[in-house]
């Protein structure tokens, strides 16, 4: 696989960061093992990272990953082994699982992800079927996939407090549906275990809550290996009561943008970074790259045209944006064939099982790459994120991937802490 290269000289803070991570590998792995004893690990997770050459940080964490089809097939045995551990830990008696996907019947790429996930679970010794929540799926419906395989979608039924299909009564429910539109009544109060729990969906989660948890994780990790936490942690804040159509909440957003820009400029000056700092404003819940904009001045918030306001006002499922995350923009200086790239790391339980590069030919180094209408080419990693080479340079591919795996696991730990908090104080909302 051609690996995206950093387009700036790798001899500054990020080189030192990768060197610290590599040198501290035994310490880091011991510390992480201790964390997994203290926190329940999410069932699976993907993390979007950005490598600016002077900073390496997560910018999004997804608890319902939808890109297993983009992983290197060579790593499927890793996925199967991790899946066995994940299932045994959460539901040791599980042998039959009903997978509930997103309602993306026309998105073949997503359905390929479901097929790979189903295959991984079958190889882990599980009887798994795909249950659709779509009302138009009234009978078992085969969907042909580009590779010649067929995915069978079955209508979901509910009897009492159990979910099943016509001839399949599973002992557990696996969600690959992020519940952006809220928790359907058919999924509430089930006696079967639901994985991940319902409060892991976007009906409950807030990105600001996740990054609040990550803030504490990054601080502890930075103390562990003696680095500036900013090198792995984006500044952020949040604003509520926002309505982009009615221009409500703009003052909060603009002020937050300017404050982060001031703090960023101090760091850029400290580290000799010549680029102009920028900020990402995005919906505080939801996914699929919707409701996101890049700004370089708080005044930009007031200057949105109608099309931009419409874009920022709604997200997946047509939900209105009421809360936004205002987050430090992290440049990506990785590129391949003149197209910008960012790594996406996949984990099952606490194990890194692979990753890929999201490559976008139509976006810039300071823009969101996970964008609707994107022309994106996934480049599967050709080596794992768990086998660094201590005799090679810190920026050698195995070592860079190990650093990616470490930072991704910090985001996984933050998600674990975040879900602990939701479990103790479950408050469902509908993105109000």
């Amino acid at each position: 696989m051609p690996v995206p290269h950093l387009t700036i000289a790798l001899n500054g803070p990020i080189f030192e960061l990768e060197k610290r991570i590599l040198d501290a590998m035994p310490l880091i792995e011991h510390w992480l093992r201790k964390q997994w004893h203290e926190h329940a690990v999410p069932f699976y997770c993907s993390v979007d990272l950005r490598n600016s050459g002077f900073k390496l940080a997560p910018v999004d964490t997804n608890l319902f990953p939808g890109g297993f089809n983009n992983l290197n097939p060579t790593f499927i045995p890793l996925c199967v082994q991790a899946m066995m551990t994940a299932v045994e830990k959460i539901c040791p008696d599980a042998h039959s699982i009903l997978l509930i996907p997103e309602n993306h019947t026309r998105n073949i790429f997503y359905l390929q992800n479901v097929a790979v996930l189903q295959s991984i679970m079958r190889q882990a010794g599980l009887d798994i079927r795909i249950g659709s929540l779509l009302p138009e799926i009234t009978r078992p419906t085969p969907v042909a996939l580009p590779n010649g395989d067929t995915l069978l979608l079955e209508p979901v039924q509910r009897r009492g407090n159990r979910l099943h299909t016509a001839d399949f009564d599973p002992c557990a429910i696996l969600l690959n549906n992020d519940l952006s539109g809220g928790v359907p009544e058919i999924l509430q109060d089930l006696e079967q275990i639901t994985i991940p729990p319902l409060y892991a969906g976007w009906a409950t989660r807030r990105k600001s809550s996740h990054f609040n948890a990550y803030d504490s994780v990054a601080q502890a990790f930075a103390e562990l290996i003696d680095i500036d936490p900013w090198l792995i942690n984006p500044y952020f804040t949040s604003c509520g009561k926002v309505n982009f159509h009615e221009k409500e909440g703009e003052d909060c957003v603009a002020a937050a943008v300017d404050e982060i820009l001031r703090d960023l400029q101090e760091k850029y000056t400290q580290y000799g970074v010549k680029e102009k700092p920028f900020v990402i404003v995005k919906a505080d819940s939801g996914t699929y790259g919707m409701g996101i904009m890049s700004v370089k001045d708080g005044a930009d918030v007031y200057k949105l045209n109608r099309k931009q306001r419409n874009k920022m006002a709604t997200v997946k499922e047509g939900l209105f944006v009421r809360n936004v995350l205002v987050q430090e923009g992290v440049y990506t200086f990785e590129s391949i064939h003149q197209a910008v790239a960012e790594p996406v790391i996949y984990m099952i339980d606490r194990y890194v099982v692979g990753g890929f590069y999201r490559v976008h030919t139509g976006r810039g180094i300071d823009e969101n790459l996970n964008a609707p209408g994107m022309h994106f080419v996934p480049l599967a990693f050709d080596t794992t994120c768990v086998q660094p080479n201590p005799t090679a340079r810190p920026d050698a591919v195995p070592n860079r991937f190990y650093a990616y795996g470490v930072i991704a696991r910090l985001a996984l730990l933050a998600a674990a802490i975040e879900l602990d908090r939701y479990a103790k104080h479950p408050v469902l909302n509908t993105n109000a």
Side-chain angles (χ1 to χ4, degrees):
M1 180 201 85
V3 178
H5 67 280
L6 280 166
T7 56
I8 65 173
L10 189 58
N11 55 12
I14 202 71
F15 186 88
E16 179 63 23
L17 170 63
E18 290 182 343
K19 186 175 187 303
R20 289 286 179 92
I21 289 175
L22 195 62
D23 290 346
M25 180 185 175
L27 180 65
I28 290 169
E29 296 301 327
H30 177 267
W31 182 80
L32 283 170
R33 283 194 297 271
K34 185 173 182 289
Q35 303 307 312
W36 305 136
H37 283 298
E38 296 175 2
H39 302 285
V41 191
F43 186 80
Y44 52 12
C45 177
S46 67
V47 178
D48 294 356
L49 301 177
R50 305 273 285 203
N51 188 346
S52 65
F54 54 85
K55 185 179 183 113
L56 172 60
V59 293
D60 200 21
T61 300
N62 186 0
L63 296 181
F64 302 87
F68 281 95
N69 55 308
N70 295 326
L71 298 181
N72 189 332
T74 305
F75 299 157
I76 293 301
L78 270 179
C79 296
V80 172
Q81 191 172 27
M83 185 65 71
M84 289 177 177
T85 300
V87 172
E88 288 171 6
K89 186 183 297 181
I90 294 178
C91 193
D93 298 325
H95 55 84
S96 57
I97 290 182
L98 185 64
L99 191 159
I100 306 294
E102 297 278 1
N103 295 334
H104 290 329
T105 54
R106 293 185 180 87
N107 188 330
I108 292 299
F109 297 108
Y110 173 73
L111 293 177
Q112 286 176 305
N113 154 74
V114 174
V116 171
L117 190 52
Q118 182 182 44
S119 175
I120 290 169
M121 300 192 79
R122 280 179 174 163
Q123 292 178 67
L126 297 163
D127 186 5
I128 178 163
R129 306 270 276 272
I130 312 300
S132 175
L133 298 179
L134 285 169
E136 59 265 32
I137 302 292
T138 58
R139 64 185 67 185
T141 304
V143 179
L145 300 177
N147 63 357
D149 291 344
T150 299
L151 192 68
L152 186 66
L153 302 179
E154 302 182 60
V156 170
Q157 304 170 21
R158 179 162 173 160
R159 186 180 301 121
N161 288 335
R162 295 190 67 82
L163 212 58
H164 60 96
T165 65
D167 62 345
F168 186 67
D169 186 13
C171 45
I173 309 299
L174 175 63
L175 296 176
N176 198 241
N177 182 315
D178 65 20
L179 306 176
S180 287
V183 180
E185 189 174 348
I186 196 171
L187 294 179
Q188 297 179 20
D189 302 316
L190 294 174
E191 65 180 49
Q192 297 140 308
I193 187 170
T194 302
I195 312 165
L198 295 178
Y199 52 80
W202 287 123
T204 306
R205 279 189 78 206
R206 288 284 179 268
K207 295 176 184 179
S208 51
S209 297
H210 172 75
F211 282 100
N212 181 61
Y214 183 79
D215 198 51
S216 60
V217 170
Q219 184 66 45
F221 182 79
E223 292 176 3
L224 181 75
I225 68 170
D226 191 24
I227 60 168
D228 179 352
W230 177 76
L231 296 175
I232 59 170
N233 189 14
Y235 290 137
F236 77 96
T237 187
S238 61
C239 289
K241 299 181 180 179
V242 174
N243 185 324
F244 284 101
H245 277 148
E246 302 298 327
K247 301 184 179 182
E248 295 175 2
E250 288 185 338
D251 290 345
C252 177
V253 178
V257 167
D258 284 337
E259 182 178 358
I260 289 177
L261 287 172
R262 283 193 297 270
D263 292 342
L264 264 181
Q265 190 56 66
E266 290 183 10
K267 282 296 183 182
Y268 278 27
T269 300
Q270 177 183 344
Y271 285 101
V273 177
K274 303 303 182 186
E275 278 68 30
K276 184 178 178 64
F278 71 102
V279 170
I280 295 292
V281 179
K282 54 187 171 183
D284 206 6
S285 61
T287 184
Y288 292 94
M290 304 178 75
I292 299 179
M293 65 178 176
S294 174
V295 295
K296 294 186 176 179
D297 191 309
D300 294 344
V301 176
Y302 300 106
K303 299 174 184 176
L304 301 181
N305 59 35
R306 179 177 297 182
K307 182 179 178 180
Q308 291 169 323
R309 290 185 183 280
N310 288 339
K311 174 188 170 186
M312 289 301 299
T314 56
V315 289
K316 186 184 170 195
E317 308 282 355
L319 296 174
F320 284 103
V321 173
R322 295 287 183 257
N323 303 279
V324 298
L325 178 73
V326 185
Q327 185 181 53
E328 168 188 345
V330 182
Y331 281 97
T332 174
F333 283 119
E334 289 191 280
S335 69
I336 182 166
H337 305 317
Q338 287 75 53
V340 292
E342 65 184 12
V344 185
I345 310 299
Y346 270 62
M347 290 160 285
I348 298 176
D349 194 73
R350 61 189 177 95
Y351 302 100
V352 177
V353 295
F356 57 90
Y357 277 99
R358 180 182 289 121
V359 183
H360 201 307
T361 58
R363 290 272 167 144
I365 57 176
D366 59 350
E367 294 182 283
N368 167 46
L369 302 191
N370 187 13
M374 62 189 167
H375 173 68
F376 106 82
V377 181
L379 294 177
F381 290 0
D382 62 358
T383 184
T384 71
C385 298
V386 294
Q387 293 180 298
N389 180 358
T391 63
R393 283 170 53 90
D395 59 329
V397 170
N399 296 336
R400 191 199 300 181
F401 284 3
Y402 176 69
Y404 289 171
V406 169
I407 302 302
R409 282 182 287 166
L410 297 183
L412 179 69
L413 175 57
I417 294 170
E418 177 192 4
L419 292 187
D420 283 350
R421 293 172 181 171
Y422 284 129
K424 294 172 183 175
H425 306 284
V427 179
L428 281 183
N429 59 60
T430 53
N431 299 311

